[in-house]
């Protein structure tokens, strides 16, 4: 079963695109005003430098121009503040519409089947089944020979004659199982290494088996 994801935000995109069109117009105005402001600041800097060497008549002209720049800068600053207010008003205007669109998209999403439980269960079952089969095969071989080996090692005469040998033998079941060095599902996989499939992991339904 392949899970195909449709466009989740059909209605939301429509409203957001409308908002962006209006917002872009305000952004464009802001960029133009900021460019004009930078040009005025550059001109003011140039005037300050020219004032140092200008004659009297030129100084009069430069002073007049300075005042014009200051006045125009203030006007631009006011317009920029108004633009910020317009931007805020625009977001307030579209917020309810965006919320409504998101609600519509959620309703559509809930009607589609995006439940991945069966997909996850199918893959988990196959994974645990494969690990458990290997674990069971290894444990089965261990159990088949365990009694005979322990008969030798646990004999009192052997323990007395070869105490260190018996200590180092460590013929335990945990030495004969698959190993998993990751951290994901560590407890469950550790159990599977002994041939057990977790109770919560069910065999996939027939329709899910490829």
């Amino acid at each position: 079963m392949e899970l195909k994801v449709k466009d989740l935000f059909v209605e939301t995109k429509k409203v957001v695109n409308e908002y962006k069109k209006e917002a872009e117009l305000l952004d464009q105005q802001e960029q133009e005003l900021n460019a004009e402001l930078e040009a005025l600041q550059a001109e003011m800097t140039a005037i300050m430098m020219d004032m140092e060497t200008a004659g009297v008549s030129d100084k009069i002209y430069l002073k007049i121009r300075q005042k014009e720049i200051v006045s125009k800068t203030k006007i631009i600053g006011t317009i920029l503040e108004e633009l910020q207010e317009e931007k805020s008003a625009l977001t307030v205007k579209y917020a309810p519409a965006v919320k409504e669109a998101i609600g519509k998209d959620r309703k559509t999403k809930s009607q589609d089947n995006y439940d991945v439980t069966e997909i996850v269960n199918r893959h988990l079952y196959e994974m645990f089944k494969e690990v458990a089969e290997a674990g069971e095969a290894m444990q089965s071989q261990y159990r088949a020979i365990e009694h005979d080996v322990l008969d030798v090692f646990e004999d009192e005469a052997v323990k007395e004659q070869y105490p260190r040998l018996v200590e180092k033998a460590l013929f335990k079941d945990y030495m004969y199982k698959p190993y998993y060095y990751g951290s994901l599902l560590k407890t469950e996989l550790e159990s599977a290494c002994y041939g057990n499939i977790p109770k919560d992991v069910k065999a996939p339904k027939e329709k899910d088996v490829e």
Side-chain angles (χ1 to χ4, degrees), residues 62-106:
L62 292 173
K63 283 285 186 180
I64 293 172
R65 185 55 187 157
Q66 274 185 321
K67 289 183 179 181
E68 290 175 348
I69 292 173
V70 170
S71 177
K72 195 171 182 180
T73 298
K74 288 181 179 179
I75 293 171
I76 291 175
T78 300
I79 296 174
L80 285 170
E81 289 177 2
E82 291 172 352
L83 274 175
Q84 292 304 315
E85 292 175 0
E86 287 184 52
K87 284 185 176 183
S88 295
L90 187 65
T91 56
V92 170
K93 170 187 171 182
Y94 274 96
V98 172
K99 180 182 179 182
E100 183 180 355
I102 289 173
K104 290 179 180 178
D105 286 331
R106 282 180 179 170

Side-chain angles (χ1 to χ4, degrees), residues 151-199:
D151 269 353
V152 174
F153 283 152
E154 293 183 356
D155 186 275
E156 291 300 323
V158 173
K159 291 181 180 180
E160 183 178 348
Q161 184 71 24
Y162 305 108
R164 288 192 175 185
L165 174 65
V166 174
E167 288 176 7
K168 291 182 178 180
L170 291 175
F171 190 69
K172 304 294 183 181
D173 61 351
Y174 67 81
M175 300 177 69
Y176 302 94
K177 65 180 181 61
Y179 291 96
Y180 171 63
Y181 296 103
S183 57
L184 186 65
L185 299 172
K186 189 173 182 64
T187 301
E188 292 82 356
L189 280 166
E190 179 68 17
S191 177
C193 287
Y194 283 98
N196 306 307
I197 296 178
K199 294 180 180 178

